Amino acid sequence: MRKALAALAALAGLALAIGLQAVAPRPVEAHATLVRADPPVNSQLREPPQVMTLYFSEPLERRVSTVRVLDAGRQRLDISVEFDDQDDALMRVRLPALQPGYYTVAWETLSKVDGHRITGQYPITVLNPDGTPPPGSAPQAGTVRVEGTQAKPERVVVRWLLLVGGSLVAGSVAFAWVLLGVSGGEADRVRKAAAGRIAALAAGGLWLLAVAGFAELLLQARDVFGSATDFPDVLGDTRWGERWLARNVLVAPLAFGVFALYRRGLTGRTPRLLTIALLALSLAYLLVTASVSHAAAGRGSVWATLSDFVHLVAASVWIGMLVQVAVTAVWARRNLTRQAQAVVLADVLRRFSIVALISVALLLFTGVVNAVIELNEPGDLLETGYGRALLIKLVLIAPLLVAGALNAYLFRPQVDEEADRVITARRGGLSAGWEELHRTLSRTVAVEAALAVTVLLVVGYLAQVAPPRSALASPSVQGKFIETRSAGGISVTLVVDPNQPGQNAFETYLTGDALSVERVRLVFEQQKRGAFQSDMVLERSSSPLIYVGAGPYLDQAGKWRVTVELRRSAGADLALPFAVEVSAPGGLAAGSRGGAFESPRGFSTEAVLLVAVSGALCAGLVIASLDRPGRPAGLMGDWADRIADVEVRPSLSLAALLAVGIGLGILFGTHGHEILRGESARTGNRVPASPESVARGRELFFANCIQCHGESGRGDGPLASSLSIPPANLYDHIPYHADQFFFNIISRGVSGVMPGFASTLSEEDRWHILNFLRDQFGEGAATR
């Protein structure tokens, strides 16, 4: 047996090494989704390309990943597809000489990280030599069409079974460790009987891991190679298969260890060593599981995976031990005397509560960390599938925490008192209400376990859906370009819609000495070496102040200079240059690749505070609930006894901490001030908010502010992503502060982020901007 234990310990060490290798740093993103292409998506090209390069967010499995270039008749034209040994995340496709026409680039990828198969396509156009569109009808343009990102029901169920199996194994082993410390006259009998129950539930968990694991392999083969019988190819040709093997190889030594635990029981020194080895194997299994997840993909994967791993371990241990406690409570009622029931359950619950308390605290803290990492903004909770599933998880966790609090802070202290009656033989031993207390405790623990298993079903869904931080960009985030410039007594506002590669509409609005303008011409030049110019003459609309036109003049994403040339009947002709940032179309991966040890996100001050306060609250929950000499119910038990007649004990501390947490969430999620109106809002403003002032402020806002704050004022301007601190959402700030406050910000700026405008805008113009901001954003987003 000693040799077998030594071999098992060696396997445990090897398993941990495998797990650490599985989470070794790799610069990746969730799902191998298209990030950019050269030539760009929806390009309008005068010269047909000989090579196309597609850049993806994750390393690619070469056997499965490919690119096809199709003509209007869906005939394949590409010559070959090549991979780059220096960058596993790109593909090159070589092409014959393409004739003017419309083409579709169809790609298919399999991620080396999460094993997800994604397909997509986008259009490009080869123009005639004179720059005119080719004959025929163009394919749908503007976005990348992507398929394969939806969660499949069978995948969700399999993932759920794997989570349940892992929880039963890890929780059963942890419960065995807890029982090794149980003392008292019935301790040996309890441990001897528990060994069989622990082994049975752990064996059930291993059976689930084996069956669901094989089903997962068959589903992967079906999704990747088209047939479930191709699973040998998955194992031999994909990194996902390698990790699947690394994880499922651990099932065999776990089964051997569980069988040995059943044979040896829970007495003597050997079970302690055996339990340690089983705990190491269980942790290794969960570590490899965490390495194939959304957390393992993207910038800062080491930290995100570590948080996800701790979250998974805490959940598995807590849920598995809950099941064991529920079974033990039933066994005790059927097999022990009433006095022994109280003593044994009190000892088991006391030891279990410590592990459960730490697990819940880690779950809450890492849950906050994971949410901050994966969600881009609070609105993602309602606007994305991942966020809505996360909300459902939170809704289910609420009654789960209530049940746990009742068990830990109401029923467990009562069991302690009953056990104390038996041990000290005072007041006649057990009270008359012991039977009802025992039944109630058994039911609430069973309900708590059932709720926890239900939560795992939602977690199984979350594992199949890309979180917002790595989801595809939506076309709605691509906004039109609007900017105003002035010269020679004329102000020109240029509008480019939708400001994406390909066909765009162009409008110019003239104010000032506009009637002297006879012709408006736009000159387009991309800001890169070797770029050529093109131009178009705009047509005058029904209004002499508006000129319009359309065409594929902005054929690539990137920085362009669009010069508005005005020919005038009186005065010198003018040329006003505009710096236009052409956005990539929606459907591309939103995230950027980065180092594994970098910060997973660009955390805002609010996010850092939320994580820090959550950590403090969770630590406070543990400290307030741990037993202390003379205070068996916790540090806050004395206060609870004084406030309430019922013995809620440290549940008061839990309620207080949760209330503070909810309050902080509300504080960070919404603004804490009242909306200012009337003179209180206009404090310090010396310029009346006339229609002329608001119009002037609007003009100045579009000329100086929308690059960062965006046309909508929500901080989504074209330069927002390049800033170290995201621009403010004006709806969240303008209603709650007086004009003087914002006048100072506009004048002085924000160090390192926003320039001050005191030297470039007159004082009156700055007040005009404030009048426009108050008119546009002064009521908050909900009322607009």
Side-chain angles (χ1 to χ4, degrees):
M1 177 60 71
R2 291 183 180 274
K3 292 182 178 180
L5 286 175
L8 191 62
L11 281 172
L14 176 62
L16 282 174
I18 292 172
L20 291 172
Q21 176 63 28
V23 296
R26 293 185 180 90
V28 292
E29 279 291 338
H31 302 343
T33 308
L34 185 65
V35 174
R36 61 186 177 90
D38 184 18
V41 171
N42 200 22
S43 296
Q44 309 277 330
L45 305 172
R46 292 176 182 248
E47 296 290 335
Q50 297 180 340
V51 177
M52 290 183 177
T53 305
L54 282 72
Y55 300 84
F56 294 88
S57 59
E58 227 175 275
L60 308 173
E61 296 286 4
R62 297 189 176 187
R63 179 178 173 183
V64 179
S65 304
T66 190
V67 181
R68 296 175 297 145
V69 178
L70 311 175
D71 62 15
R74 306 298 291 180
Q75 296 297 312
R76 185 170 182 175
L77 303 175
D78 50 280
I79 298 174
S80 64
V81 176
E82 301 172 356
F83 295 86
D84 193 320
D85 293 334
Q86 303 300 318
D87 188 350
D88 285 343
L90 68 82
M91 286 189 286
R92 293 188 182 91
V93 54
R94 298 198 176 275
L95 302 169
L98 298 180
Q99 299 300 314
Y102 301 101
Y103 299 90
T104 298
V105 181
W107 51 266
E108 176 181 345
T109 64
L110 181 70
S111 164
K112 279 187 177 182
V113 177
D114 58 17
H116 285 181
R117 177 177 174 270
I118 306 293
T119 62
Q121 64 182 51
Y122 64 87
I124 64 168
T125 302
V126 177
L127 301 172
N128 293 318
D130 60 359
T132 59
S137 58
Q140 181 180 1
T143 62
V144 182
R145 195 178 74 189
V146 181
E147 297 178 354
T149 58
Q150 301 84 4
K152 298 179 179 179
E154 62 272 22
R155 286 274 198 174
V156 174
V157 171
V158 166
R159 184 72 174 186
W160 174 61
L161 294 177
L162 289 172
L163 290 170
V164 172
S167 298
L168 287 176
V169 174
S172 296
V173 174
F175 190 71
W177 177 261
V178 167
L179 284 185
L180 289 173
V182 173
S183 59
E186 296 286 345
D188 289 341
R189 181 183 177 188
V190 170
R191 283 194 288 266
K192 182 177 180 180
R197 297 194 307 275
I198 289 172
L201 285 173
L206 290 170
W207 183 84
L208 280 178
L209 293 181
V211 172
F214 186 65
E216 182 186 34
L217 177 62
L218 297 181
L219 291 174
Q220 183 73 2
R222 181 203 66 181
D223 294 342
V224 173
F225 295 105
S227 172
T229 58
D230 291 327
F231 67 87
D233 294 330
V234 174
L235 296 176
D237 296 332
T238 67
R239 183 179 292 175
W240 184 94
E242 294 173 1
R243 295 189 182 189
W244 185 93
L245 279 174
R247 192 184 76 211
N248 285 274
V249 160
L250 300 174
V251 174
L254 277 168
F256 173 77
V258 169
F259 179 72
L261 191 66
Y262 170 73
R263 293 293 302 272
R264 296 289 298 183
L266 292 175
T267 58
R269 182 182 177 187
T270 299
R272 293 183 181 275
L273 299 176
L274 183 59
T275 304
I276 292 174
L278 286 172
L279 281 172
L281 288 167
S282 301
L283 291 176
Y285 185 94
L286 297 176
L287 182 60
V288 179
T289 301
S291 73
V292 188
S293 66
H294 299 308
R299 187 178 67 179
S301 59
V302 167
W303 314 117
T305 301
L306 178 61
S307 177
D308 198 50
F309 170 64
V310 173
H311 194 79
L312 183 60
V313 170
S316 300
V317 169
W318 180 35
I319 294 172
M321 289 185 71
L322 271 174
V323 176
Q324 288 286 358
V325 170
V327 173
T328 299
V330 174
W331 174 86
R333 189 168 67 250
R334 294 177 179 176
N335 295 277
L336 298 179
T337 64
R338 297 173 70 247
Q339 289 76 13
Q341 291 173 16
V343 174
V344 168
L345 284 179
D347 201 2
V348 169
L349 289 174
R350 185 181 303 111
R351 298 174 186 277
F352 162 71
S353 294
I354 296 175
V355 179
L357 178 65
I358 296 173
S359 296
V360 169
L362 289 174
L363 271 173
L364 294 174
F365 176 66
T366 54
V368 171
V369 172
N370 292 344
V372 169
I373 290 174
E374 303 297 355
L375 298 177
N376 294 321
E377 56 187 22
D380 288 337
L381 284 171
L382 296 174
E383 297 171 3
T384 66
Y386 184 93
R388 288 189 290 270
L390 187 59
L391 277 179
I392 294 174
K393 178 183 175 182
L394 294 176
V395 169
L396 292 175
I397 284 178
L400 179 59
L401 291 176
V402 171
L406 289 174
N407 291 329
Y409 299 136
L410 183 60
F411 299 133
R412 196 199 71 136
Q414 295 180 29
V415 174
D416 283 342
E417 290 190 3
E418 296 291 347
D420 187 57
R421 289 171 182 268
V422 173
I423 294 173
T424 60
R426 62 185 175 88
R427 288 184 286 179
L430 291 176
S431 68
W434 165 249
E435 292 291 342
E436 181 62 28
L437 173 62
H438 193 173
R439 282 194 295 269
T440 302
L441 178 66
S442 300
R443 291 168 184 165
T444 54
V445 171
V447 168
E448 188 179 354
L451 286 171
V453 172
T454 304
V455 170
L456 290 181
L457 183 61
V458 182
V459 177
Y461 174 82
L462 288 171
Q464 304 300 316
V465 181
R469 75 156 172 157
S470 57
L472 301 180
S474 169
S476 63
V477 303
Q478 310 299 330
K480 64 175 69 174
F481 172 86
I482 304 176
E483 188 173 312
T484 301
R485 290 191 176 277
S486 301
I490 296 180
S491 291
V492 178
T493 299
L494 174 66
V495 178
V496 182
D497 188 16
N499 192 30
Q500 293 181 6
Q503 191 79 8
N504 282 279
F506 303 93
E507 301 173 355
T508 61
Y509 299 85
L510 309 180
T511 59
D513 187 19
L515 296 179
S516 66
V517 175
E518 296 180 338
R519 189 189 71 176
V520 177
R521 186 175 72 143
L522 303 184
V523 178
F524 306 91
E525 182 180 7
Q526 191 171 17
Q527 299 300 290
K528 68 178 184 179
R529 182 175 298 180
F532 58 86
Q533 290 185 352
S534 59
D535 63 82
M536 71 175 300
V537 176
L538 300 182
E539 297 181 1
R540 179 180 293 182
S541 68
S542 56
S543 168
L545 307 180
I546 302 175
Y547 292 77
V548 298
Y553 296 95
L554 305 175
D555 59 359
Q556 298 184 26
K559 296 181 179 180
W560 288 75
R561 175 181 292 150
V562 179
T563 303
V564 180
E565 295 184 350
L566 305 179
R567 175 177 292 178
R568 301 201 295 177
S569 59
D573 294 343
L574 298 175
L576 291 84
F578 291 80
V580 179
E581 183 85 19
V582 179
S583 305
L588 301 182
S592 61
R593 301 172 65 195
F597 287 96
E598 295 180 14
S599 173
R601 296 296 300 267
F603 294 116
S604 64
T605 303
E606 290 84 357
V608 172
L609 285 174
L610 181 59
V611 171
V613 172
S614 299
L617 290 176
C618 291
L621 173 61
V622 174
I623 294 172
S625 302
L626 288 178
D627 291 346
R628 291 290 186 272
R631 297 178 182 177
L635 294 178
M636 299 188 70
D638 295 345
W639 303 344
D641 288 339
R642 295 174 186 175
I643 294 174
D645 293 333
V646 296
E647 296 180 346
V648 294
R649 299 190 178 274
S651 58
L652 181 64
S653 65
L654 175 63
L657 291 170
L658 289 179
V660 172
I662 293 172
L664 285 170
I666 294 173
L667 175 64
F668 289 132
T670 60
H671 210 288
H673 301 318
E674 294 182 357
I675 294 178
L676 300 180
R677 294 184 174 89
E679 291 303 316
S680 59
R682 289 180 43 79
T683 299
N685 194 336
R686 294 184 290 274
V687 176
S690 63
E692 293 77 15
S693 175
V694 172
R696 175 60 178 166
R698 176 185 179 85
E699 179 182 332
L700 292 167
F701 177 81
F702 278 97
N704 298 281
C705 308
I706 64 169
Q707 296 92 333
C708 298
H709 290 284
E711 181 182 0
S712 67
R714 300 180 187 273
D716 54 359
L719 299 181
S721 60
S722 65
L723 300 179
S724 58
I725 299 177
N729 183 335
L730 298 179
Y731 283 112
D732 292 340
H733 295 275
I734 297 297
Y736 309 104
H737 297 285
D739 285 357
Q740 184 66 59
F741 174 82
F742 294 109
F743 180 84
N744 294 335
I745 292 179
I746 294 173
S747 301
R748 302 168 186 170
V750 179
S751 177
V753 181
M754 174 181 165
F757 290 91
S759 61
T760 56
L761 294 177
S762 67
E763 179 179 347
E764 185 176 2
D765 279 345
R766 279 173 273 159
W767 289 120
H768 287 319
I769 292 177
L770 260 301
N771 287 336
F772 166 72
L773 295 179
R774 185 68 58 190
D775 177 78
Q776 184 71 17
F777 309 108
E779 291 296 323
T783 60
R784 305 263 333 161

